[in-house]
């Protein structure tokens, strides 16, 4: 019998932040709460808003912040500096196997194509059927936000959604062991998968 891998994260008040045109940083787009803590997803309309939002969230008790891949290393560093070590700050990065499809995604996005993404967020005890929100993007396409209890469930959800997606970002865990099953689940569809890496101390 295979062992189910779950996040070793001890954070109890996590927030995922992504960039979207017209995003309102005060609005929770997805909230998952249970005895294992609370995870929320918020959108900002501009990268600079992520700095202010992260500082405010940490002051309110957030103990882990994760940024979407569109922020890149520069904004990741700026947010981490602003938080000042009061909480870990991670951001999505892409492995070598995803470089070609993520470059194609970026080119299509910049050309104005309508694209659809999924954010899979590990939260122990989550139900991927009920802890799911499909959020319409301004101008078309959608972001599907799904909370999953572990990496194996994330891989199943990724395989289910993969044919309809151009991008997957995987939050709540980090490292190759966590990312591997999700990457393999959508590899036949050529969907790039990003996974969280954390800023140094």
């Amino acid at each position: 019998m295979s062992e189910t891998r779950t996040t070793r994260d001890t954070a109890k008040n996590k927030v995922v932040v992504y960039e979207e045109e017209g995003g309102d940083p005060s609005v929770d787009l997805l909230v998952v709460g249970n005895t294992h803590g609370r995870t929320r997803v918020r959108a900002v309309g501009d990268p600079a808003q992520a700095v202010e939002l992260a500082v405010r969230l940490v002051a309110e008790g957030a103990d882990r912040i994760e940024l979407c891949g569109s922020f890149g290393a520069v904004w990741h560093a700026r947010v981490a500096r602003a938080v000042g070590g009061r909480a870990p700050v991670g951001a999505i990065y892409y492995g070598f196997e995803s470089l070609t499809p993520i470059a194609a995604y970026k080119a299509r996005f910049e050309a104005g194509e309508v694209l659809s993404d999924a954010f899979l967020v590990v939260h122990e005890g989550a139900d991927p059927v009920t802890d799911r929100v499909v959020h319409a993007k301004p101008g078309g396409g959608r972001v599907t936000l799904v909370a999953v209890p572990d990496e194996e469930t994330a891989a199943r959800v990724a395989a289910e959604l993969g044919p309809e997606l151009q991008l997957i970002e995987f939050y709540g865990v980090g490292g190759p062991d966590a990312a591997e099953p999700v990457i393999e689940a959508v590899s036949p569809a050529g969907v790039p998968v990003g996974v969280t890496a954390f800023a140094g101390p």
Side-chain angles (χ1 to χ4, degrees):
M1 184 168 128
S2 65
E3 179 184 348
T4 298
R5 290 173 290 190
T6 57
T7 177
R8 303 294 189 269
D9 179 33
T10 58
K12 295 296 184 184
N13 189 357
K14 299 173 279 191
V15 185
V16 170
V17 180
Y18 75 97
E19 184 184 357
E20 177 180 87
E21 182 183 348
D24 184 344
S26 68
V27 175
D28 290 324
L29 299 174
L30 174 70
V31 181
V32 182
N34 55 27
T35 57
H36 302 290
R38 178 173 68 159
T39 298
R40 295 174 286 163
V41 178
R42 291 195 183 183
V44 296
D46 180 89
Q49 290 180 308
V51 177
E52 301 169 13
L53 178 60
V55 170
R56 185 167 67 250
L57 290 169
V58 170
E60 293 170 355
D63 56 2
R64 177 166 164 158
I65 305 289
E66 294 183 61
L67 306 172
C68 83
S70 69
F71 288 100
V74 171
W75 283 105
H76 184 190
R78 290 175 182 173
V79 172
R81 268 197 309 274
V83 167
R86 294 183 301 263
V89 176
I92 293 290
Y93 291 88
Y94 292 84
F96 196 80
E97 70 284 334
S98 289
L99 294 184
T100 299
I102 197 62
Y105 177 94
K106 184 175 185 288
R108 293 172 67 185
F109 175 81
E110 291 173 346
E113 285 193 43
V114 173
L115 303 169
S116 292
D117 317 322
F119 295 167
L120 308 181
V121 186
V122 171
H123 182 104
E124 191 174 350
D127 181 337
V129 175
T130 59
D131 296 323
R132 180 182 300 213
V133 172
V134 179
H135 176 69
K137 293 183 183 180
R142 66 190 181 281
V143 179
T144 302
L145 310 170
V146 187
V148 295
D150 53 54
E151 289 91 328
E152 278 70 22
T153 304
R156 288 195 297 272
V157 171
E160 166 203 330
L161 297 175
E164 305 170 4
L165 299 174
Q166 287 76 55
L167 174 79
I168 291 176
E169 295 193 336
F170 189 29
Y171 298 88
V173 293
D177 284 346
E180 179 187 11
V182 176
I183 292 168
E184 289 185 341
V186 295
S187 180
V191 179
V193 177
V195 65
T196 305
F198 285 88

